[in-house]
Amino acid sequence: MFADRLAGDAARIQAHFDQVLAGLDALPVAQAMAYATAGGKRLRGFLVLEGARLHGVGPERAIWPACAIEALHAYSLVHDDLPCMDDDDLRRGRPTVHVKWNEGTAVLAGDALQALAFELAAHEDCGPAAVRADLALSLARASGARGMVLGQALDIAAEEAPAPLSLEQITRLQAGKTGALIEWAACAGARLAGAETAPLARYAGALGLAFQIADDILDEEGDAEKAGKRLRKDAEAGKATFVSLLGLEGARSRAKELAEAAEAALEAYGAQADPLREAARFVISRDS
Amino acid sequence: MFADRLAGDAARIQAHFDQVLAGLDALPVAQAMAYATAGGKRLRGFLVLEGARLHGVGPERAIWPACAIEALHAYSLVHDDLPCMDDDDLRRGRPTVHVKWNEGTAVLAGDALQALAFELAAHEDCGPAAVRADLALSLARASGARGMVLGQALDIAAEEAPAPLSLEQITRLQAGKTGALIEWAACAGARLAGAETAPLARYAGALGLAFQIADDILDEEGDAEKAGKRLRKDAEAGKATFVSLLGLEGARSRAKELAEAAEAALEAYGAQADPLREAARFVISRDS
């Protein structure tokens, strides 16, 4: 069962975070780091662990980049929720970090989580030095001003733009904002094995976009309680979303096409890649 | 001349940043990254370039970690200046990033500069994979919740503490807040050469503390115009500083002892290490 597999990987990731964060000074910033890395679907960490398995790399090595990408994702959420960014007070059904502590602690905890992400990606237990250098460098590129931060900067710029974004523009924005980290997660297993990343990058490109379209659909018709966060903020602010651009039915069918394209990209891996195929179906059918 | 040498290294670092940041999307976040990495003494980058020279490693390789540590330092200043942190509106004689743009841009530009630091530290042109992995991992450890962020978190906690910090506590705070990055900078050259870092770590431990004591002295009796930032904030807030704990004369003589200890740690390197010795004298005699 896919849900069991995802839950098993999520538990493994949580246990590793518990170890990694143990022994930090008992300060609010350390408590906030643990809080921000707890919970969530762990989809990115799952992609690392399953992509690694596909290449014969076990969890004792893959858990490091799996936690690295989850730490990086957590930092991005903590900073994105700040009053000067999206100003969200609810995340995963709980108060956001700056609400529970304060803004200064949220800035610092996010900063420390980003550093932690690179500490985990370059960790000695990931494998040979060539792999560790490759993981750290590719993670830096995926998360910086040509990757995730570019997507967030385009998102901010869109708020001040005279007209809502076009489909092409929002696709580029999302390729940075969510796509870059999802691609890194899907490819990390191949990097651990020193293998070709191209098939998994194709898979991730389609998966990431399907994920974002599904997010926009959930934002339109989802249940705020299940989602654990405020919904319909983008639509109310007049921002373009895949739903506003394609309509609800158009968005649904585009997400389905993309999930099928993601599955098709895994052909060379055979049945071994079934968990990743199920992940593609999961991202467009989830209710939170 | 030491000043010429520092200026030459600073110019080299600026030219490399110009190259590295070229081609980013013309967004406020990219402009803010260039703005935040311009100017400053470049002491950390200088330590990298000179430490590398000491180990026979030329600037074509050393410029990468030199810019990495300057990017990391720049991110820490941008975030530290935020209203929810130190709330400073002046830095290097110019408006801080959140004043010139806005808080969201300052958070994002800092985040992207941190990612850039790791991109530069793990860059292919730094050398063999073992060196790149070592640089990235050690930089992550120096800057995270056991290094620089720990120092900043202790600094925030001190504001809410019932009594000013003791000398021991403030020494630990500063070892994180400024010491960890100065140590990384001084040791990066040895890492580039795969050499022993212990002598340079001893040098940096004394240098970093001398630097911070000199900062507290400048804060007490310096010229805000030369410093390019607001002064006497800590003292006015009743926070302990090396000057409040040791007195002005006591702080001066402690800084001098530490600078001498830093010089002594370089004994094995002979006259080759004279620029680093001059750096130790510079940090306690600078007027900004």
Side-chain angles (χ1 to χ4, degrees), chain B residues 273-285:
Chain B
D274 280 347
L276 292 178
R277 288 188 188 91
E278 290 183 69
R281 293 194 287 273
F282 165 76
V283 300
I284 60 164
S285 63

Side-chain angles (χ1 to χ4, degrees), chain A residues 22 25 75 79 111 146 172, chain B residues 22 25 75 79 111 146 172:
Chain A
D25 270 60
Y75 120 66
H79 282 188
D111 288 344
R146 288 183 169 87
R172 177 160 187 256
Chain B
D25 270 60
Y75 120 67
H79 282 187
D111 288 346
R146 289 182 168 87
R172 177 163 187 255

Side-chain angles (χ1 to χ4, degrees), chain A residues 25-50:
Chain A
D25 270 60
L27 290 165
V29 69
Q31 294 159 2
M33 288 170 75
Y35 182 83
T37 50
K41 286 179 290 293
R42 308 291 198 189
L43 179 67
R44 291 160 190 78
F46 171 88
L47 292 175
V48 174
L49 292 169
E50 297 300 327

Side-chain angles (χ1 to χ4, degrees), chain A residues 107, chain B residues 32-33 35-37 72-83 85 88 91 96-98 103 105-111 113:
Chain A
V107 169
Chain B
M33 289 169 75
Y35 182 84
T37 51
L72 208 120
H73 178 54
Y75 120 67
S76 78
L77 297 181
V78 172
H79 282 187
D80 210 36
D81 287 339
L82 283 167
M85 305 281 284
D88 276 309
R91 166 76 63 188
T96 46
V97 171
H98 67 273
E103 287 181 47
T105 299
V107 169
L108 272 186
D111 288 346
L113 284 169

Side-chain angles (χ1 to χ4, degrees), chain B residues 120-255:
Chain B
L120 298 173
H123 195 275
E124 289 91 346
D125 293 347
C126 287
V131 165
R132 298 160 52 210
D134 181 38
L135 288 170
L137 180 58
S138 55
L139 184 60
R141 287 181 174 150
S143 58
R146 289 182 168 87
M148 184 183 72
V149 172
L150 171 62
Q152 291 182 303
L154 289 170
D155 202 12
I156 289 183
E159 287 173 22
E160 284 150 25
L165 298 188
S166 67
L167 189 59
E168 192 185 333
Q169 288 172 315
I170 205 163
T171 301
R172 177 163 187 255
L173 184 164
Q174 296 298 351
K177 197 170 173 183
T178 57
L181 292 198
I182 285 180
E183 180 177 329
W184 189 88
C187 295
R191 292 185 190 279
L192 283 168
E196 180 55 61
T197 57
L200 287 168
R202 275 198 306 280
Y203 163 78
L207 181 79
L209 196 51
F211 182 91
Q212 189 55 47
I213 296 175
D215 234 36
D216 284 356
I217 295 171
L218 275 172
D219 196 59
E220 183 68 26
E221 52 169 29
D223 177 332
E225 202 166 319
K226 275 191 190 151
K229 61 183 178 185
R230 265 199 285 162
L231 299 178
R232 277 169 283 279
K233 281 184 67 182
D234 285 359
E236 279 164 19
K239 282 165 81 170
T241 70
F242 286 107
V243 172
S244 74
L245 289 161
L246 298 170
L248 206 44
E249 277 320 301
R252 259 200 207 97
S253 77
R254 182 81 187 107

Side-chain angles (χ1 to χ4, degrees), chain A residues 54-134:
Chain A
L54 213 52
H55 291 87
V57 176
E60 71 289 350
R61 285 179 59 204
I63 194 68
W64 296 95
C67 285
I69 195 69
E70 290 289 340
L72 206 120
H73 178 55
Y75 120 66
S76 76
L77 298 180
V78 172
H79 282 188
D80 209 37
D81 287 339
L82 283 168
C84 64
M85 305 280 286
D86 279 357
D87 194 14
D88 275 309
D89 45 19
L90 207 60
R91 167 74 64 187
R92 295 170 181 169
R94 301 177 307 168
T96 46
V97 171
H98 67 273
V99 169
K100 192 165 165 78
W101 285 275
N102 52 55
E103 287 181 48
T105 300
V107 169
L108 272 186
D111 288 344
L113 284 169
Q114 182 171 185
L116 179 64
F118 290 102
E119 189 175 337
L120 299 173
H123 195 274
E124 289 92 346
D125 293 348
C126 286
V131 165
R132 297 160 53 212
D134 180 39

